[in-house]
Amino acid sequence: GASASIVRASVISTLSLAAWYFGRSVRPMVLILLAAALTAMFSPIYLWSDIGWYLSFLAFFGILMVAPKILTLLYAGRQAPLIIQVAVKTLAAEIMTLPLILYIFGQMSFIGILANVLVVSMIPLAMLTSLIAGLAGMFVPLVSGLFALPARFILTYMLDTALFLSRLPNVFKTGVYLSVWDMALGYGLIGTATYALHRTRKSWF
C-alpha cells in the first residue's frame, strides 16, 4: 500500500546504494529510467491513474538533472552554500512539476521556494535528532526527555514555519489551468533548455 513517491524513493535509494557498493558511478538518466521501469512493473496502475507517480519523477528529474547544471553555471565548480542548493533544487523541482500541476489542479504557490529554504534544510538535522531521541527512549528511558529536546525544538520550528507561511494572504493562486497543448509546449521548452544544459550525451547517460 505504499504511495508512488515512497516506492520511487525506495527503489532509487536501493539502486544508488548498490551502485556505490559495487564501485559504479551513478548515471542520472539511467537511474531515473530504471527506477521508473521498476516502479511501473511493481504497480502498472501508476502509469494511467497516479498523478503522484508522474510528479515524483518530474521533481526528481529536476533535482538530479537540472539543479546541478544550474549550480555549476552559478558557481563554476565551487561548493554552493546549503541554502542556495536547497533553493535551486526546489526551483528545479517546481519548474518540472508546474505545467502538470497547472494542467491537473490549476493551482500554484508563490512561496514554495521560501518554504523549502526555511524547512527542508533542517530535515537532515531533524532526522538525526529524532533518531537519537528514539534510541534514548529504548535504552535510557528515564532521561530520554532530555535527549528528545533538540528534536522537539527542530520539529516545532518546522511545523510552526509551515503553519505561518500557509496563513499568509495571497500566496496561493487557484484557477490557473493550462490546456494539454500549453502543458506540452511548456515541457517542450523545459526539455530544450535542459538539453542545452547537458550538451553531450555522456552527461545524460
Side-chain angles (χ1 to χ4, degrees), residues 16-32:
S16 299
L17 288 172
W20 168 80
Y21 179 79
F22 289 104
R24 301 295 184 90
S25 59
V26 177
R27 302 284 185 172
M29 278 303 299
V30 173
L31 181 61
I32 293 172

Side-chain angles (χ1 to χ4, degrees), residues 11-91:
V11 169
I12 286 176
S13 297
T14 302
L15 292 174
S16 299
L17 288 172
W20 168 80
Y21 179 79
F22 289 104
R24 301 295 184 90
S25 59
V26 177
R27 302 284 185 172
M29 278 303 299
V30 173
L31 181 61
I32 293 172
L33 294 175
L34 183 57
L38 291 175
T39 53
M41 182 178 66
F42 172 81
S43 181
I45 198 172
Y46 289 158
L47 292 173
W48 60 81
S49 67
D50 197 322
I51 298 300
W53 185 83
Y54 289 96
L55 291 174
S56 178
F57 275 100
L58 286 170
F60 184 62
F61 181 92
I63 292 171
L64 199 62
M65 294 293 295
V66 179
K69 289 300 179 181
I70 296 176
L71 290 171
T72 299
L73 289 175
L74 293 176
Y75 285 89
R78 295 179 289 115
Q79 183 70 21
L82 177 60
I83 292 179
I84 300 298
Q85 292 184 43
V86 173
V88 170
K89 289 178 181 179
T90 299
L91 177 62

Side-chain angles (χ1 to χ4, degrees), residues 116-133:
N116 276 277
V117 168
L118 294 176
V119 174
V120 172
S121 57
M122 300 298 293
I123 288 179
L125 190 57
M127 294 174 64
L128 176 61
T129 54
S130 297
L131 174 62
I132 294 173

Side-chain angles (χ1 to χ4, degrees), residues 163-202:
L163 182 62
F164 171 77
L165 292 176
S166 69
R167 291 178 174 176
L168 293 177
N170 303 318
V171 297
F172 196 73
K173 185 70 174 178
T174 60
V176 191
Y177 287 93
L178 291 182
S179 69
V180 65
W181 298 111
D182 291 334
M183 180 183 68
L185 176 61
Y187 279 119
L189 294 175
I190 293 171
T192 301
T194 304
Y195 182 79
L197 290 174
H198 296 261
R199 295 183 178 180
T200 65
R201 183 178 178 85
K202 182 178 179 180

